Amino acid sequence: MGTNSVLHTELIVDKITIRGGSHLDGSIEISGAKNAALPCMAACLLTDETLILRNLPAVVDIRTMEKVLGTLGTHVSHETTPSLLSITQSLTCNEPSEYKAPYELVKTMRASILVLGPLLTRFGKASISFPGGCSIGARPIDLHLEVMSKMGASIDIHHGYVEASLPSGKRLKGIDHTFPYISVGATENSLLAAALADGKTILRNAAKEPEISDLISLLISMGIPIEGLGTSTLAIEGQRQAHGTHYTIIPDRIEVGTFICALAITGGSLCLQGVVLEHVSSLLEVIERSGCKYRYDVTKKVLHLERSPSDRLEPINISTAPYPDFPTDLQAQFMAVLTQADGTSTIIENIFENRFQHVMELQRLGASIDMDGRTARIHGPTLLSGTTVMASDLRASAGLVIAGLAAEGTTTIERIYHLDRGYAHLDHKLRSVGVEIERIK
Ligand code: EPZ
């Protein structure tokens, strides 16, 4: 594996243009899940043995996590598949010279906070730039810090950094903890911290997302006994050490959902390869209600989707909530689809207080959307007409791409670097199934 090979996705392009009106036809390979890959990468800090991770998506956030781990003394090398869609990584973390995740990296990716738990539990210290608010909400980290503190760490905030430490020679101690509400990141950080803690940790009201189960499966294969996979109560038997392993990351259910939206808005037929059906069942339920048909081939893990462009798209009501309910990470993409539904749909965003920045951009394309706090009412069908719009975050960008597929004429999406943080070559994949989409540097 080459340490110096450059990820294809490092190319920062600034615009995408889409000519609306194509129907999708063809097959797309689903990439590995970014949000499963990031905590799994952080798990390399638990051991001095090598961790080999396969099926990581070729996206910028993975590169950023490589840099974070690199500043912590981790030797990282990676290999990209010939299709450029997926990466295999080798990660080895000996004693770091610094225990610090700097502001320059944390400000570009909040998931950097996931190094806190493993650093603290293995080395007894960590200094992580305090992540500020972001475009989708305040996103505090109090739940992460509460767990570390309850496990025996002292936590101070100095000059914008979370400084966490343990008395010399001490380990974090196992705890019985109930999260006051569900947090994906806090569950992951706590799992990582508990892996090398002294004694058993029980986490209640933990997040149950497939990305959490992926981290648990990895930790188990690193020698950490964990019970409760897929449930909200997790019991972790802390060990003195973890060992290296080989592990393959799950497919990205949010990417699957994004292509489902693409098909729903354009019509046509699409085969998505490498789909875990149970990870997307809440989406399929919604999409069936709106009038799309699907069939799943269990042995090949292929999802076949079909919608005749002349079929009526039914309005639907969606409330975002933790897994297994409807994911916030697909709210913007579904909103774009609902601009074409025959009637009024409602979306309630329950996870992030500010995750409606795509609404104004959709309105610029001609969508009719009323807002009332965390509720959006989308009146369809409206004729969308292409213009220049601006992406504000990763999923908002994807929502604008979906809208562009249905808009009359050309839609230009600016600040498309947001998209490259989490989608592996979305434009290539859409082009391969018939969309007229171009990147402009
Ligand atoms: C993860 O973010 C994902 N990120 C997000 O995906 C996803 O939207 C989110 O989970 C919800 O599913 C990664 O996995 C890297 P949370 P996370 O902690 O862990 C509040 C994408 O587009 N909260 O479950 O940060 C928080 O503000 C990204 O791929 C606290 O108040 O989300 C939010 O309202 C964006 N205090 C709610 O909990 C805390 O200490 C849920 O957040 C932690 C969270």
Side-chain angles (χ1 to χ4, degrees):
M1 287 188 206
T3 39
N4 295 324
S5 59
V6 175
L7 276 183
H8 185 67
T9 45
E10 274 188 306
L11 292 171
I12 302 294
V13 286
D14 50 12
K15 278 183 197 173
I16 274 185
T17 61
I18 303 171
R19 257 196 97 68
S22 314
H23 304 308
L24 304 193
D25 184 19
S27 178
I28 290 175
E29 194 184 319
I30 296 301
S31 297
K34 164 187 80 89
N35 288 349
L38 294 171
C40 287
M41 288 172 71
C44 80
L45 298 172
L46 293 172
T47 174
D48 59 3
E49 295 180 17
T50 299
L51 182 62
I52 307 276
L53 296 177
R54 298 203 174 87
N55 198 36
L56 295 121
V59 300
V60 171
D61 275 9
I62 296 298
R63 181 70 184 130
T64 307
M65 191 56 133
E66 284 187 354
K67 289 183 188 158
V68 173
L69 296 172
T71 64
L72 298 168
T74 305
H75 178 81
V76 185
S77 61
H78 62 236
E79 205 171 68
T80 310
T81 55
S83 66
L84 300 176
L85 292 178
S86 127
I87 300 167
T88 296
Q89 236 175 25
S90 160
L91 304 150
T92 315
C93 178
N94 295 309
E95 181 83 24
S97 50
E98 278 200 290
Y99 302 87
K100 182 170 172 179
Y103 173 67
E104 291 67 35
L105 293 173
V106 179
K107 76 174 181 197
T108 63
M109 190 186 68
R110 297 176 53 88
S112 313
I113 187 72
L114 293 173
V115 301
L116 172 65
L119 279 181
L120 195 51
T121 199
R122 178 161 161 219
F123 302 108
K125 49 190 153 183
S127 169
I128 319 286
S129 173
F130 202 98
C134 81
S135 61
I136 60 175
R139 302 183 76 184
I141 52 164
D142 53 322
L143 301 186
H144 303 237
L145 301 185
E146 190 188 345
V147 169
M148 303 303 147
S149 160
K150 204 165 156 184
M151 291 179 103
S154 62
I155 310 273
D156 289 306
I157 315 288
H158 274 311
H159 304 297
Y161 278 75
V162 176
E163 307 283 358
S165 61
L166 283 172
S168 170
K170 290 270 184 207
R171 291 164 71 194
L172 286 178
K173 59 175 192 297
I175 53 168
D176 188 331
H177 182 74
T178 304
F179 290 106
Y181 48 92
I182 294 171
S183 159
V184 172
T187 302
E188 291 164 345
N189 233 337
S190 307
L191 276 162
L192 289 159
L196 301 184
D198 186 7
K200 185 175 192 161
T201 294
I202 299 181
L203 301 173
R204 302 177 198 275
N205 199 27
K208 296 187 288 194
E209 270 66 4
E211 293 77 19
I212 304 273
S213 298
D214 215 29
L215 174 62
I216 293 174
S217 301
L218 169 70
L219 290 173
I220 291 173
S221 94
M222 292 174 77
I224 313 296
I226 302 178
E227 285 174 10
L229 184 84
T231 74
S232 56
T233 303
L234 303 171
I236 306 104
E237 218 42 89
Q239 303 296 302
R240 283 209 168 262
Q241 54 190 28
H243 55 74
T245 191
H246 291 232
Y247 192 77
T248 302
I249 301 295
I250 51 167
D252 193 327
R253 66 193 167 102
I254 304 301
E255 192 192 22
V256 173
T258 303
F259 288 122
I260 291 178
C261 290
L263 189 273
I265 205 166
T266 61
S269 94
L270 200 55
C271 287
L272 300 179
Q273 295 171 32
V275 175
V276 180
L277 189 70
E278 65 167 296
H279 293 174
V280 292
S281 45
S282 67
L283 318 178
L284 291 170
E285 194 191 301
V286 167
I287 215 72
E288 251 194 330
R289 268 192 274 140
S290 75
C292 296
K293 296 189 180 59
Y294 76 89
R295 172 165 66 78
Y296 183 66
D297 183 329
V298 189
T299 35
K300 294 187 180 148
K301 294 197 166 158
V302 175
L303 183 67
H304 300 264
L305 298 151
E306 241 180 67
R307 192 176 87 75
S308 159
S310 58
D311 282 354
R312 182 171 186 262
L313 203 54
E314 300 287 334
I316 42 180
N317 299 327
I318 297 171
S319 274
T320 65
Y323 187 81
D325 292 330
F326 192 87
T328 172
D329 289 349
L330 284 171
Q331 181 254 104
Q333 300 89 317
F334 268 76
M335 186 179 290
V337 174
L338 295 175
T339 63
Q340 302 309 304
D342 198 0
T344 295
S345 305
T346 305
I347 296 186
I348 303 174
E349 171 54 56
N350 290 306
I351 307 291
F352 293 110
E353 69 275 18
N354 195 25
R355 208 174 200 180
F356 274 138
Q357 295 206 15
H358 43 281
V359 169
M360 281 184 71
E361 299 303 295
L362 289 174
Q363 286 167 336
R364 296 194 61 248
L365 289 167
S368 167
I369 304 171
D370 299 328
M371 297 294 304
D372 179 9
R374 286 177 175 236
T375 303
R377 275 183 203 84
I378 306 105
H379 310 286
T382 44
L383 179 71
L384 300 182
S385 60
T387 185
T388 300
V389 287
M390 200 168 67
S392 54
D393 73 78
L394 169 58
R395 308 303 172 185
S397 322
L400 296 176
V401 169
I402 304 294
L405 296 176
E408 197 183 53
T410 300
T411 301
T412 303
I413 304 166
E414 296 194 330
R415 296 202 184 168
I416 210 66
Y417 53 83
H418 288 294
L419 200 67
D420 292 331
R421 287 189 53 187
Y423 287 96
H425 310 293
L426 187 67
D427 51 327
H428 289 244
K429 291 186 179 186
L430 286 172
R431 199 174 314 124
S432 74
V433 293
V435 176
E436 285 185 55
I437 179 167
E438 295 299 330
R439 280 179 178 246
I440 303 172
K441 269 187 84 127

